């Protein structure tokens, strides 16, 4: 089965690839494949998404392009971790660590994109409009600096070498496992992700925000792994499962927004700017953090309620 996206990496390197944000697409995997072949197809797909979105960003700032680039890195991290554990290939952790480092260099710009484009607009403005305007000014300045770091990252030697190493692994014939039946491998990998979710879910009952964050990460790993193997199973069953999973992730994402506000505001307040009225700015910042903080109890309640329902959803691979 030919993958039309497999050559995107080489095309982009010659400035012939797409110059627009690229979302993840269904993988080209089939039941007849060996697990190693599915792994390499997954790597190729993740790399295609990385290099296509990097090309988009080299052509100019794109909020969606940066978002999709980070999604691609997270998908690749999950693939390297999940397949690496299944195959017993610990050395893949080194490549996974490099993916995490590169993704981390992109994170400040993405956090500030969300903060400026979404989070600053939601709290009430009454009594704090002047301070919020000053906060926006600082955020936009910090955002410009963060975007400069993005440009440096995607044009740097670390990024290029990493992409080439992933491309080499995706096209290699290096033996990774003796397993030959992909459905069995997929089932084990998915069951492993579910076990992690259940473990995080038991702890998250405490309603601690840190525990809920770890549950959100576990669910994200389950989702990406489910998407990797989706073509192996009935489309309707997969769609039903992923719809419930994404809905739960969205509720937990509301809590992540609160964490984003706290982190970004804290960083902005550490900056010095003589033009700002420090008292007005800090009052508005405190009001914003307080407004988002007040949403936490309700968000936790809804998230745990959705998680309880999700646990009853039938796994499509069973």
């Amino acid at each position: 089965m030919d993958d039309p996206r497999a050559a995107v990496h080489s095309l982009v390197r010659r400035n012939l690839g797409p110059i627009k944000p690229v979302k993840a697409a269904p993988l080209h995997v089939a039941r007849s494949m060996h697990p190693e072949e599915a792994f390499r197809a997954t790597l190729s797909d993740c790399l295609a998404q990385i290099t296509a979105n990097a090309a988009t960003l080299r052509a100019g700032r794109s909020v969606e392009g940066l978002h999709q680039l980070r999604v691609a890195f997270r998908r690749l991290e999950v693939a390297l971790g999940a397949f690496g554990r299944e195959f017993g290939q610990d050395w893949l952790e080194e490549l996974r660590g490099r993916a995490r480092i590169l993704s981390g260099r992109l994170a400040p710009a993405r956090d500030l994109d969300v903060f400026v484009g979404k989070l600053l607009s939601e709290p009430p403005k009454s009594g704090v409009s002047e301070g919020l305007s000053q906060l926006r000014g600082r955020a936009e300045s910090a955002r410009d600096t963060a975007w400069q770091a993005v440009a440096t990252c995607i044009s740097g030697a670390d990024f290029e070498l990493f992409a080439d190493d992933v491309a080499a692994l995706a096209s290699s014939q290096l033996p990774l496992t003796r397993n030959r039946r992909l459905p069995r491998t997929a089932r084990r990998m998915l069951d492993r992700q579910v076990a992690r979710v259940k473990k995080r879910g038991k702890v998250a009952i405490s309603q601690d925000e840190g525990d809920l964050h770890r549950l959100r990460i576990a669910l994200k790993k389950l989702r990406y792994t489910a998407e990797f193997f989706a073509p192996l199973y009935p489309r309707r069953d997969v769609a039903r499962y992923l719809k419930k999973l994404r809905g739960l992730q969205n509720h937990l994402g509301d809590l992540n927004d609160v964490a984003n506000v706290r982190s970004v505001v804290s960083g902005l307040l550490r900056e010095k700017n003589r033009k700002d009225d420090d008292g007005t700015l800090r009052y508005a910042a405190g009001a914003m953090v307080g407004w988002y903080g007040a949403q936490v109890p309700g968000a936790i309640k809804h998230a745990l309620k959705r998680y309880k329902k999700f646990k009853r959803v039938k796994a499509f691979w069973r």
Side-chain angles (χ1 to χ4, degrees):
M1 184 181 299
D2 294 331
D3 183 350
R5 302 181 67 189
V8 169
H9 176 60
S10 61
L11 289 174
V12 169
R13 294 295 295 276
R14 291 181 283 138
N15 295 320
L16 298 173
I19 307 298
K20 62 180 181 180
V22 173
K23 295 183 178 181
L27 284 179
H28 287 70
V29 299
R31 285 179 167 266
S32 58
M33 282 183 169
H34 292 165
E36 290 173 325
E37 295 173 320
F39 173 55
R40 294 188 178 101
T42 304
L43 291 184
S44 294
D45 182 82
C46 293
L47 182 61
Q49 191 183 9
I50 286 173
T51 51
N53 286 297
T56 299
L57 298 182
R58 292 188 188 105
R61 185 182 295 191
S62 168
V63 172
E64 180 64 14
L66 177 59
H67 172 55
Q68 293 302 328
L69 178 57
R70 294 200 68 223
V71 168
F73 268 110
R74 288 196 295 265
R75 292 176 68 235
L76 180 59
E77 284 183 48
V78 171
L80 290 167
F83 279 101
R85 180 173 179 181
E86 173 65 22
F87 296 162
Q89 302 291 346
D90 295 340
W91 58 273
L92 290 174
E93 278 298 309
E94 188 271 341
L95 201 58
R96 181 170 174 245
R98 290 164 62 192
R100 187 180 294 112
I101 289 171
L102 289 170
S103 181
R105 294 173 184 172
L106 307 172
R110 175 58 186 167
D111 288 346
L112 284 159
D113 281 345
V114 174
F115 184 81
V116 172
K118 173 188 174 185
L119 301 179
L120 264 175
S121 303
E122 295 187 1
K125 308 297 188 299
S126 179
V128 294
S129 58
E130 182 180 349
L132 287 179
S133 178
Q134 293 177 12
L135 194 64
R136 178 180 290 276
R138 285 199 185 187
E140 289 177 345
S141 177
R143 185 189 191 187
D144 290 341
T145 300
W147 268 94
Q148 291 173 6
V150 169
T152 299
C153 175
I154 62 177
S155 300
D158 287 350
F159 189 95
E160 294 297 326
L161 181 59
F162 174 80
D164 286 343
D165 286 348
V166 174
L169 179 58
S171 61
S172 76
Q173 297 301 315
L174 184 69
L176 298 172
T177 180
R178 294 181 179 180
N179 295 330
R180 289 293 178 264
R181 300 191 64 177
L182 182 57
R184 287 185 179 180
T185 296
R187 185 164 58 249
R188 281 195 301 271
M189 291 173 62
L190 286 163
D191 284 344
R192 199 172 289 132
Q193 299 291 20
V194 168
R196 180 184 284 110
V197 167
K198 289 181 178 179
K199 179 180 178 180
R200 301 302 188 198
K202 287 181 180 179
V203 179
I205 295 176
S206 68
Q207 300 192 15
D208 178 80
E209 289 183 50
D211 292 332
L212 285 159
H213 171 72
R214 284 181 280 275
L215 173 60
R216 184 178 69 87
I217 297 302
L219 288 164
K220 186 173 294 185
K221 291 179 179 180
L222 170 59
R223 174 189 161 188
Y224 289 149
T225 306
E227 290 174 345
F228 293 157
F229 296 121
L232 305 182
Y233 302 97
R235 184 177 302 177
R236 182 176 297 180
D237 294 344
V238 174
R240 185 184 301 112
Y241 187 87
L242 289 177
K243 181 180 179 180
K244 297 292 185 181
L245 180 51
R246 291 189 185 108
L248 175 56
Q249 282 186 280
N250 288 338
H251 278 278
L252 289 167
D254 292 340
L255 291 171
N256 193 55
D257 285 345
V258 177
N260 180 303
V261 168
R262 291 170 179 159
S263 175
V264 171
V265 168
S266 177
L268 295 176
L269 290 180
R270 287 196 294 269
E271 298 179 5
K272 300 296 181 182
N273 189 328
R274 294 180 180 178
K275 295 181 180 180
D276 291 333
D277 181 336
D278 194 61
T280 301
L281 174 67
R282 289 182 177 277
Y283 179 79
M288 182 180 183
V289 170
W291 186 85
Y292 273 102
Q295 317 302 313
V296 169
I300 290 176
K301 180 180 179 180
H302 288 303
L304 290 176
K305 185 176 180 180
R306 288 295 292 263
Y307 174 64
K308 186 176 181 180
K309 291 182 178 179
F310 175 74
K311 289 192 297 183
R312 297 196 294 265
V313 177
K314 183 179 178 181
F316 61 81
W317 60 92
R318 283 293 179 180

